[in-house]
C-alpha cells in the first residue's frame, strides 16, 4: 500500500502518456483533483535517457471545477525515437501543475515508449509495420532475472494466463502483476498480453445486476490505468481460451481443415 499526500486546492492524480505514430504526435492526459474551483496551468517535459529534454508541452490557464477532471496536452513530435519490438527506447515524462505562477504540484515521472500498435485485418502493426510475435507463457517462471534466458530461446512476447486460478498461481479476481518484470520487458523491447479482472466469482450478476456492472467497470478502469503506460503491454485477455474459436474445438469440425 502506498500513501501519498496531495497539495490543496488542486493536485495531479494520474498521468497517461499517449503516443500517436500515425499523427507524429504526443498527447499527455492529466487527471487533476480540485477541492474547490480554481485556475491552474499544466506543463510537461519529456526527457531522453541521458536527461536531455526531447519535447515540452504547455497548456493554457484553465478553470478547474470542484472534483476530478481531465486535461490534455498535445504537441507534434515527428522525430521521436521509436520503441520497437526487440529494439526499445524509453523516455521519461514529468508533469507540473502551476497555480498563481508557481509550481503547486509535480507528478511522479512516467516512463513510456513512443509506439502505436493497431490491427489491420489479420495483421498486427507496430509503428506502421507488421509484428512477428514469438509467444510463450509468463506464468512458467518469467522474472527480470530469467528474461535473458527466455530471450535466448527466441521468445519476444509473453502471455500471462487469463485465469484467476492459473497453473502454479493463486490470484485474486483482479490480477496484480510484478512491476519489476513489466519494466524489464519495457527495457528489453518485449511484449506482454495481460488478463483483465475476472468474473468467475460474480456470475451471473455481471449480466443482470446494474450495481455489479458499475463496480466491475470501476475496477476495470483502475486496473487498466495502473499498467497502461508500459509500452510492453500489447493486449488484454478477457478469459480462458478466447483465442480459439468454437469451430476449432467443436466436434463437428474435428478432423477437417478449416
Amino acid at each position: 500500500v502506498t500513501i501519498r499526500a496531495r497539495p490543496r486546492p488542486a493536485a495531479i492524480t494520474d498521468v497517461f502518456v499517449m503516443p500517436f505514430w500515425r499523427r507524429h504526435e504526443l498527447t499527455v492526459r492529466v487527471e487533476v483533483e480540485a477541492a474547490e474551483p480554481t485556475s491552474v496551468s499544466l506543463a510537461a517535459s519529456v526527457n531522453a535517457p541521458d536527461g536531455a529534454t526531447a519535447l515540452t508541452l504547455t497548456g493554457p490557464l484553465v478553470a478547474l471545477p470542484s472534483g476530478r477532471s481531465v486535461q490534455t496536452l498535445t504537441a507534434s513530435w515527428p522525430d521521436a525515437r521509436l520503441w520497437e519490438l526487440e529494439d526499445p527506447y524509453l523516455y521519461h515524462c514529468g508533469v507540473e501543475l502551476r497555480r498563481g505562477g508557481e509550481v503547486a504540484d509535480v507528478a511522479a515521472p512516467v516512463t513510456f515508449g513512443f509506439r502505436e500498435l493497431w490491427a489491420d485485418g489479420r495483421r498486427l502493426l507496430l509503428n506502421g509495420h507488421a509484428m512477428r510475435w514469438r509467444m510463450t507463457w509468463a506464468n512458467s517462471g518469467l522474472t527480470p532475472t530469467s528474461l535473458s534466458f527466455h530471450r535466448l530461446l527466441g521468445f519476444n512476447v509473453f502471455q500471462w494466463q487469463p485465469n484467476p486460478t492459473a497453473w502454479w498461481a493463486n490470484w485474486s479476481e483482479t490480477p496484480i502483476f510484478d512491476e519489476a518484470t513489466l519494466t524489464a520487458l519495457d527495457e528489453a523491447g518485449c511484449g506482454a498480453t495481460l488478463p483483465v479482472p475476472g468474473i468467475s466469482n460474480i456470475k451471473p450478476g455481471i449480466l443482470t445486476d446494474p450495481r455489479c456492472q458499475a463496480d466491475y467497470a470501476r475496477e476495470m478502469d483502475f486496473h487498466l490505468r495502473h499498467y497502461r503506460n508500459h509500452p510492453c503491454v500489447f493486449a488484454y485477455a478477457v478469459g480462458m481460451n478466447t483465442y480459439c474459436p468454437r469451430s476449432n474445438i467443436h466436434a463437428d469440425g474435428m478432423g477437417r481443415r478449416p
Side-chain angles (χ1 to χ4, degrees):
V1 175
T2 300
I3 299 176
R4 294 189 178 95
R6 293 176 179 150
R8 294 173 65 90
I12 299 169
T13 54
D14 185 63
V15 174
F16 180 26
V17 182
M18 305 165 62
F20 296 99
W21 176 85
R22 285 174 284 186
R23 300 205 300 258
H24 304 292
E25 190 175 271
L26 186 75
T27 291
V28 180
R29 182 181 182 271
V30 185
E31 183 184 77
V32 180
E33 183 171 21
E36 59 191 46
T38 187
S39 294
V40 303
S41 62
L42 295 166
S45 177
V46 177
N47 296 326
D50 62 2
T53 300
L55 185 72
T56 56
L57 305 89
T58 57
L61 188 70
V62 295
L64 296 179
S66 180
R68 292 195 177 188
S69 61
V70 174
Q71 310 296 324
T72 58
L73 304 171
T74 299
S76 175
W77 199 6
D79 59 347
R81 180 165 173 179
L82 303 181
W83 187 97
E84 295 279 3
L85 192 59
E86 300 182 76
D87 184 19
Y89 192 83
L90 297 173
Y91 289 100
H92 307 284
C93 179
V95 179
E96 292 182 345
L97 182 148
R98 298 169 180 166
R99 183 171 177 267
E102 297 182 354
V103 176
D105 193 19
V106 178
V110 171
T111 301
F112 72 98
F114 194 97
R115 64 101 174 101
E116 183 180 6
L117 58 93
W118 65 95
D120 179 23
R122 294 173 58 87
R123 298 193 305 160
L124 295 174
L125 303 183
L126 174 65
N127 302 329
H129 59 80
M131 289 188 286
R132 298 290 183 265
W133 291 13
R134 300 186 299 275
M135 182 181 287
T136 188
W137 273 16
N139 301 80
S140 301
L142 178 66
T143 67
T145 302
S146 69
L147 175 58
S148 59
F149 174 72
H150 287 82
R151 294 288 307 283
L152 287 172
L153 296 177
F155 298 116
N156 63 5
V157 177
F158 297 86
Q159 175 205 9
W160 267 258
Q161 176 71 271
N163 180 0
T165 55
W167 321 122
W168 310 294
N170 185 19
W171 296 348
S172 61
E173 281 292 310
T174 298
I176 299 174
F177 307 108
D178 179 44
E179 285 286 345
T181 300
L182 294 180
T183 297
L185 295 180
D186 294 338
E187 295 172 346
C190 292
T193 68
L194 303 181
V196 294
I199 61 171
S200 300
N201 295 332
I202 57 176
K203 302 181 294 188
I206 189 66
L207 300 177
T208 59
D209 186 342
R211 291 189 303 173
C212 181
Q213 293 167 356
D215 287 344
Y216 183 77
R218 183 170 59 253
E219 182 71 12
M220 178 73 81
D221 178 70
F222 288 152
H223 181 76
L224 295 180
R225 71 167 56 198
H226 192 71
Y227 301 106
R228 61 189 178 183
N229 282 308
H230 283 284
C232 70
V233 178
F234 286 174
Y236 291 94
V238 298
M240 287 289 291
N241 300 325
T242 53
Y243 304 129
C244 190
R246 178 180 182 275
S247 58
N248 285 358
I249 60 175
H250 197 263
D252 292 343
M254 288 185 177
R256 303 176 186 177
R257 292 186 178 276

